[in-house]
Amino acid sequence: MDNRMKEKIRDGRLTRDDVRRMIDWQLTLESEKIDSNLLGECLLFLYPQEPALRPEDKKMLWNRIKAAAFGTSRVHRRQRHHRRASVRTILIAALLLLLLAGAAIAAVLGTFGRFTTDPMIEMSHTRLEHLEEVAETVGKTIVVNAPSGELDRIDLTTDYGKIQAQQYGRQFELTVDQVYCDGNKLYYSYQLSEKNRTFELLEGTPTGFEAWDWEEPGKKLTDTYWTPGATEEEEAAAKAWFATHEQAYAIESYFGLGDGADLNDGSECGISLNIWDSGMEQINPYTKVGFQQVDLPEDYVPGETIDFLLTVMYSTEVVCQDETGVYRTGVRQKENRGFMRVPVTAKITGKPEEFVKTVQFDDYTAEVHLAISDVDISGMVYIDAPQEWIDAYQEMDGWADWVTDYKLIADGQEMPNVSGGYGIGGDEERWRVYIRYDLPQSTEHLTLVPYGGGRKRSEAENIVIR
């Protein structure tokens, strides 16, 4: 296979449509001319973690196999059961099965599904499995262009000015892969890429930098961390470069999706939504995939769709080393400081079953807000807490005989609170206990069991939801 084509595929310089057309072209060739290495590179590009087929790609490949064996006319299709498959067809089918064997060809995974084995977010695996089943596949790609500006205001005689000028005209592709929203929470998975991302290792000291964002006197780059957007290969190359050059610097085009989303209410920035869960992987120097989950405001009233804003962040990170230490800074476009908001509209497909229950105990009153969705069980317990709880909490290192957690008993199955927390919050300054559980096998009978200080409280304080 032509090494240049191989590099283009591996580096992500071709679009998904380009790669699909390449597969289509390969399957029109005679069997002895099919380049199995090229097909393998194409499939690894489309499915970088495990080449799991999407429905449209599976259909395309299967149609090509059928067309290779039987043609495309009605006569051929009617006669396909009365003729033997050609050797060429068998070779093509065997080749594809070999290439895709490790991916379980029948499985169709989106980004949510691909993160179900990420050891860094093990507590999210069950939730992601459900999301893979219920999320709407959007598959919409949005081209995001950095704004134009007046380059004559930039000093292009310095390295700093040249790097700043490079921010103009940067282009990104943001693909919203899957979305699930139930009116309480919003989940989305994405792919973000920049085809013209650059990474350079240079000798000497860059000019035009009057100040640095971060200084590490007396350090060498090999003693400290690298930049956030570099791949493992780039980091290894940079450390080798700086180890053999006393004065050197690196330039890396950084891009990423901002943490969380904003509810699009028509204003410039929208309403900020708190992020509760996320995962991200850089699959090649030009492409990142990930997912995020944000909570919607308590007073949000869902309709048929939700409008929200995602933020594409970009800059050029510069790392410099000389005899005095290591210096870092990010060069950003002045017009928007390296932030671009992208509007997205998605359907609200989830309809959670919601409960509100108030229970009076001897020392306090608890008001439970609980929602059972297609993904998890979550909510909040508001407590009119005794003053000693409040005082101890405000002392920071204090302690009281308080409620800080709830376990869920679902038809005899005990479920831990997977992302809980407690404290005082809201306009009313009420005691709050955050609760979230993976979906149990059954939700017919539900009871919340209180804990405090690491121990189970009295059974009399159990809250029976139903």
Side-chain angles (χ1 to χ4, degrees), residues 115-130:
F115 277 90
T116 55
T117 57
D118 186 341
M120 299 298 292
I121 51 173
E122 186 175 355
M123 294 185 69
S124 303
H125 288 177
T126 302
R127 190 158 56 251
L128 289 165
E129 289 171 3
H130 291 301

Side-chain angles (χ1 to χ4, degrees), residues 21 105 137 165 314 332 354 397:
R21 283 193 291 268
I105 192 169
T137 299
Y314 64 102
R332 296 169 179 81
E354 298 184 328
D397 59 348

Side-chain angles (χ1 to χ4, degrees), residues 159 202-209 212 246-249 318-323 327:
D159 293 321
L202 303 162
E203 292 185 86
T205 303
T207 60
F209 288 81
W212 298 90
E246 183 72 21
Q247 287 191 338
Y249 63 103
V318 181
V319 181
C320 177
Q321 171 185 285
D322 62 19
E323 63 278 1
Y327 305 90

Side-chain angles (χ1 to χ4, degrees), residues 122-127 130 375-377 408 415-416 418 436-441:
E122 186 175 355
M123 294 185 69
S124 303
H125 288 177
T126 302
R127 190 158 56 251
H130 291 301
V375 176
D376 63 9
I377 298 177
L408 175 69
M415 309 294 296
V418 295
R436 185 174 199 173
Y437 313 97
D438 289 331
L439 278 180
Q441 296 175 358

Side-chain angles (χ1 to χ4, degrees), residues 393-466:
Y393 181 80
Q394 290 176 342
E395 290 174 7
M396 300 300 290
D397 59 348
W399 182 89
D401 188 19
W402 49 25
V403 176
T404 58
D405 192 18
Y406 285 91
K407 288 186 179 180
L408 175 69
I409 305 299
D411 290 298
Q413 182 182 5
E414 184 176 280
M415 309 294 296
N417 191 353
V418 295
S419 57
Y422 68 94
I424 303 171
D427 295 336
E428 300 177 3
E429 291 292 311
R430 300 175 76 187
W431 188 268
R432 298 180 174 205
V433 180
Y434 301 84
I435 51 178
R436 185 174 199 173
Y437 313 97
D438 289 331
L439 278 180
Q441 296 175 358
S442 171
T443 61
E444 185 176 355
H445 301 97
L446 302 173
T447 300
L448 294 176
V449 178
Y451 281 74
R455 63 181 179 84
K456 184 177 178 181
R457 292 175 65 88
S458 168
E459 189 173 333
E461 296 178 50
N462 288 0
I463 302 175
V464 178
I465 304 300
R466 66 178 180 186

Side-chain angles (χ1 to χ4, degrees), residues 45 202 231 294 304 364 369:
F45 170 83
L202 303 162
T231 64
V294 295
E304 294 184 357
Y364 63 90
H369 291 248

Side-chain angles (χ1 to χ4, degrees), residues 102-353:
I105 192 169
V108 181
L109 290 180
T111 305
F112 287 132
R114 289 174 180 171
F115 277 90
T116 55
T117 57
D118 186 341
M120 299 298 292
I121 51 173
E122 186 175 355
M123 294 185 69
S124 303
H125 288 177
T126 302
R127 190 158 56 251
L128 289 165
E129 289 171 3
H130 291 301
L131 282 167
E132 181 64 25
E133 295 176 2
V134 301
E136 179 192 10
T137 299
V138 179
K140 180 181 180 181
T141 299
I142 305 165
V143 177
V144 185
N145 294 299
S148 59
E150 298 180 12
L151 294 180
D152 56 355
R153 296 185 178 182
I154 297 176
D155 182 2
L156 297 178
T157 64
T158 67
D159 293 321
Y160 182 88
K162 293 174 183 176
I163 294 171
Q164 194 175 56
Q166 291 172 2
Q167 307 309 304
Y168 298 93
R170 288 179 67 173
Q171 185 179 86
F172 309 89
E173 288 187 357
L174 173 61
T175 299
V176 180
D177 186 17
Q178 300 156 289
V179 175
Y180 175 79
C181 182
D182 61 10
N184 294 324
K185 295 181 176 65
L186 169 65
Y187 306 82
Y188 46 89
S189 64
Y190 66 91
Q191 176 173 301
L192 182 62
S193 62
E194 182 184 20
K195 295 179 184 177
N196 297 321
R197 175 184 176 273
T198 59
F199 177 79
E200 298 179 81
L201 298 171
L202 303 162
E203 292 185 86
T205 303
T207 60
F209 288 81
E210 298 178 357
W212 298 90
D213 294 339
W214 188 261
E215 300 182 7
E216 298 172 277
K219 294 280 189 178
K220 297 296 182 184
L221 188 125
T222 51
D223 302 328
T224 183
Y225 71 96
W226 185 231
T227 58
T231 64
E232 291 182 1
E233 294 78 9
E234 289 171 346
E235 182 174 352
K239 288 188 174 181
W241 176 262
F242 281 93
T244 55
H245 293 78
E246 183 72 21
Q247 287 191 338
Y249 63 103
I251 299 174
E252 177 216 339
S253 297
Y254 169 78
F255 66 92
L257 195 72
D259 284 344
D262 301 294
L263 197 60
N264 193 352
D265 62 348
S267 63
E268 182 181 356
C269 298
I271 301 171
S272 180
L273 303 175
N274 292 328
I275 185 168
W276 280 93
D277 197 8
S278 67
M280 190 278 290
E281 180 176 358
Q282 184 156 340
I283 58 178
N284 61 47
Y286 306 91
T287 306
K288 298 177 180 180
V289 296
F291 76 91
Q292 296 183 0
Q293 179 239 311
V294 295
D295 277 3
L296 297 173
E298 294 182 4
D299 59 355
Y300 177 72
V301 179
E304 294 184 357
T305 61
I306 182 171
D307 297 310
F308 58 99
L309 302 168
L310 298 178
T311 301
V312 174
M313 309 182 301
Y314 64 102
S315 63
T316 294
E317 301 300 309
V318 181
V319 181
C320 177
Q321 171 185 285
D322 62 19
E323 63 278 1
T324 65
V326 175
Y327 305 90
R328 309 170 188 273
T329 198
V331 181
R332 296 169 179 81
Q333 188 166 351
K334 289 184 177 180
E335 284 77 4
N336 60 6
R337 296 175 291 112
F339 296 95
M340 293 188 292
R341 288 182 170 82
V342 183
V344 179
T345 298
K347 296 178 182 178
I348 296 179
T349 56
K351 294 182 179 179
E353 188 177 5

